[in-house]
């Protein structure tokens, strides 16, 4: 029953665009005398593209056609065809993840969309992918230490706090190497609006000696505050991006971990102006800051962390006993409504479900419930009745944490009025506000991608 | 030294053990106070705490561990008795008590009986194999696989027509496993088959049942497939683990390799209802492929 999935990761960032191809080995870990348990046992990278500059039309608008050409060329170099690709993720990150950019890339890659499960990603997913791709999650799992991973790219720094190998919080700061762009003659050609409250420098200016370093130091202070190494001031609030929401400063100092293009400038001292931006200055400011005074590590991947995360770590597998009836897979961009254990037990569950379904525009909504770890038949059928009452005459999409999806699916379909499309999966953890893609089956399990945003709105 | 002197000495010793460390005038603050004396606030006549209620996966008894959290994270993945510490070269009292309690539970599961009315209460046809009691059941596996004339008659009368799938629930080596899981699992199997258009008739409950009793049921009923839910030999991890054996065209003497088995059905393994739903799918596959056991694996269907 062993299978493999060919997965492509494409990261369209503020500065760079990269593609990787990887093979995910799926194996049945259970003995042949037990219920199967499919797991991804190996993630092997078969091809890494060079780091391309993101094709842009103007300062921030992504050239969709350019991306398409790039993808076509890289597929050819990797020796793969579109038809071979099973899954993957396109991540449009940093300052480029604006709606019109996402739309441009999506329409240019529209005939590839069948294979790519994720369209675009928000900062939460991006942080999680970078932390996985840089090996920070594995490091925390192996050592048992708390790790704060920072993926410092062109436009933003994605933060992920990891405890015992689990990502417990994500955040995003407007700290990056390309918030200023400088010509070889020292003339500013771009100042990100993010920096307006922090500096008087404007495009066309020639920054004086030390002015760029000063900005790099201020940005570094923001990172220190986020890590709890420096008392937080209003600077932190100004640097936090709107989409990522708040950021809770960790109480105990975690091990710091770095990836992203700027991470390469922390250890290797690159001359200022190497990339026409402030990446080298920012790297050195970080090296000299409190961030590197304690326990820190550089990611096993730096500039490629996010794309490797996207290619290798965006897909997970559901439990191996799931229920799917009359639903054409793959299904994409299903919004999720999460219910707490108390809500699940409440007699009002059907009304709660109705209310939450009315709030969603989409006719297809995934109801995410904790379920039960080892339910009785009575518990399963009672839950099925309450669910169907709440769902009304819509299609049924249910995701549980406890191992009971197949039994629940059966129960739902046998209820009067339950004879309709129904998908029940389990062993997947969903959070409010995320979206779910479910791919075609791999053996008895279903590949699943959980993403935080479909299109992030009006991000500047 | 008489008995009175001895007990006074023990009392004194215990007293001194509970006292603060005898380091005066310094700010001695041990980081880990070590094992604390057990709070004995219960009254005579109270029950002692039930050691079997402790979750072994969360129990870590090593003193002054370097990485307790990490060890506990590993322990989450196994029911093995790891990180139990030691008292000199021996087990700690708690470990020893728990081990013996689990061992006793395993023995009880084998020797205890399901209630007299288990079959009737759950709508099953109650029969028993040729064994006259548990002792004979344990010592004569051959007799746990066949029925006398009277019980064969009961089956013949209870089962109407020639069923496609016949459900058999047998105590096997763990009555506890059947009491806990069998009916939940059976109902999920019934649901699953119903969705696939396969009607499951009345089930049979077999006392003193070996897996092979299903073959004898096949002889009597002429069913196309027999599904036997039977208590597994209990171990120290759980005394409530159940297995399911599916045999296509069952008859006495059928080869063991023709059985498809789903084992480890219990709360910490595969939950009974989910296993039932899975078994229903397996039954559908077996009926379609007309083969069970190793043959089914060779077909690549499992």
């Amino acid at each position: 029953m062993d299978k493999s999935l060919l997965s492509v990761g494409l990261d369209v960032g503020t500065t760079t665009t990269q593609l990787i191809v990887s093979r995910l080995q799926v194996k049945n870990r259970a003995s042949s005398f037990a219920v199967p348990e499919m797991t991804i046992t190996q993630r092997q990278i078969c091809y890494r593209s060079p780091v391309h500059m993101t094709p842009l039309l103007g300062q921030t608008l992504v050239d969709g056609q350019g991306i398409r050409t790039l993808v076509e060329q890289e597929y050819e170099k990797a020796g793969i065809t579109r038809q071979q690709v099973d899954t993957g993720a396109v991540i449009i990150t940093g300052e480029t993840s604006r709606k019109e950019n996402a739309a441009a890339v999506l329409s240019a890659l529209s005939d590839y969309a069948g294979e790519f499960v994720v369209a675009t990603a928000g900062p939460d997913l991006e942080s999680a992918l970078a932390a996985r791709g840089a090996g920070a999650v594995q490091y925390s799992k192996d050592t048992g230490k708390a790790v704060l991973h920072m993926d410092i790219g062109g436009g933003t720094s994605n933060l992920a706090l990891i405890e015992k190998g689990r990502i417990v919080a994500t955040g995003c700061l407007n700290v990056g190497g390309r918030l200023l762009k400088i010509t070889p003659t020292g003339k500013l050609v771009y100042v990100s609006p993010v920096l307006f409250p922090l500096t008087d420098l404007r495009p066309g200016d020639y920054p004086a000696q030390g002015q760029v370093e000063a900005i790099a130091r201020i940005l570094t202070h923001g990172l220190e505050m986020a890590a709890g190494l420096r008392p937080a001031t209003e600077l932190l609030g100004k640097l936090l991006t709107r989409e990522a929401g708040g950021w809770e400063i960790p109480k105990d100092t975690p091990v710091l971990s770095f990836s992203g293009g700027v991470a390469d400038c922390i250890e290797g001292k690159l001359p200022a102006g190497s990339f026409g931006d402030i990446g080298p200055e920012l790297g050195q400011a970080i090296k000299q800051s409190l961030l590197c005074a304690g326990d820190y590590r550089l990611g096993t991947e730096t500039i490629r962390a996010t794309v490797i995360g996207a290619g290798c770590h965006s897909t997970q597998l559901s439990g191996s006993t799931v229920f799917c009836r009359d639903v054409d897979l793959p299904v994409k961009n299903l919004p999720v409504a999460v219910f707490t254990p108390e809500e699940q037990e409440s007699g009002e569950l059907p009304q709660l479900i109705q209310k939450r379904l009315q709030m969603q525009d989409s006719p297809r909504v995934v109801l995410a419930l904790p379920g039960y770890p080892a339910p009785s038949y009575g518990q399963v059928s009672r839950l099925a009745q309450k669910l169907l009452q709440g769902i009304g005459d819509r299609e049924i999409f249910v995701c549980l944490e406890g191992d009971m999806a197949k039994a629940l699916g059966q129960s739902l379909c046998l209820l009067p009025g339950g004879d309709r499309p129904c998908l029940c999966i389990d062993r997947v953890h969903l959070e409010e506000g995320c979206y779910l893609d479910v791919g075609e089956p791999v053996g008895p399990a279903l590949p699943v991608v959980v993403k935080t945003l479909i299109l992030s709105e009006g991000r500047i | 030294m008489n008995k009175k002197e001895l007990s006074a000495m023990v009392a004194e010793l215990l007293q001194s053990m509970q006292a603060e460390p005898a380091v005066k005038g310094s700010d001695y603050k041990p980081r880990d106070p070590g094992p604390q004396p057990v709070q004995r606030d219960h009254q005579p006549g109270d029950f002692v705490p039930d050691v079997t209620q402790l979750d072994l996966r969360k129990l870590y008894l090593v003193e002054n561990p370097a990485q307790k959290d990490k060890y506990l994270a590993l322990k989450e993945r196994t029911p093995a008795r790891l990180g139990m510490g030691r008292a000199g070269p021996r087990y700690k009292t708690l470990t020893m008590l728990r081990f013996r309690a689990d061992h006793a539970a395993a023995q009880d599961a084998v020797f205890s009986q399901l209630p007299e009315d288990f079959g009737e209460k759950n709508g099953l046809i109650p029969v028993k194999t040729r064994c006259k009691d548990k002792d004979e059941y344990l010592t004569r596996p051959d007799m746990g696989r066949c029925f006398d004339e009277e019980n064969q008659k009961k089956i013949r009368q209870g089962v109407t027509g020639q069923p496609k799938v016949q459900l058999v629930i047998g105590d096997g080596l763990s009555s506890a496993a059947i009491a806990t899981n069998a009916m939940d699992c059976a109902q999920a199997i019934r649901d699953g088959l119903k969705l696939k258009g396969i009607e499951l008739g009345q089930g049979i409950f077999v006392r003193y049942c070996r897996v092979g009793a299903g073959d004898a049921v096949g002889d009597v009923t002429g069913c196309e497939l027999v599904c036997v839910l039977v208590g597994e030999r209990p171990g120290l991890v759980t005394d409530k683990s159940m297995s399911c054996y599916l045999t296509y065209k069952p008859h006495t003497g059928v080869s063991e390799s023709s059985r498809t088995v789903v084992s480890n059905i219990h709360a910490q393994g595969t939950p009974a209802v989910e296993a039932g739903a899975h078994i229903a799918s397996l039954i559908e596959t077996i009926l379609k492929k007309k083969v069970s056991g190793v043959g089914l694996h060779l077909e690549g269907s499992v």
Side-chain angles (χ1 to χ4, degrees), chain B residues 212-239:
Chain B
D215 304 341
V217 168
D219 291 338
V220 178
T221 62
C223 61
E224 194 175 343
L225 181 151
V226 70
C227 169
V228 181
L229 299 180
V230 65
E232 279 177 17
R233 178 170 57 84
L236 288 163
V237 173
T238 174
D239 56 332

Side-chain angles (χ1 to χ4, degrees), chain A residues 374-377, chain B residues 114 118 169 174-189 229-232 238-243 264-273 275-276:
Chain A
S376 69
Y377 181 78
Chain B
L114 281 159
F118 182 84
I169 296 176
S174 170
S175 300
I178 294 304
T180 316
N181 301 304
M183 293 324 293
D184 283 330
C185 188
Q187 279 170 295
I189 296 174
L229 299 180
V230 65
E232 279 177 17
T238 174
D239 56 332
K240 298 187 176 60
S241 187
M242 185 177 81
S243 280
N264 277 304
I265 304 170
H266 57 96
Q268 293 88 45
T270 304
V273 285

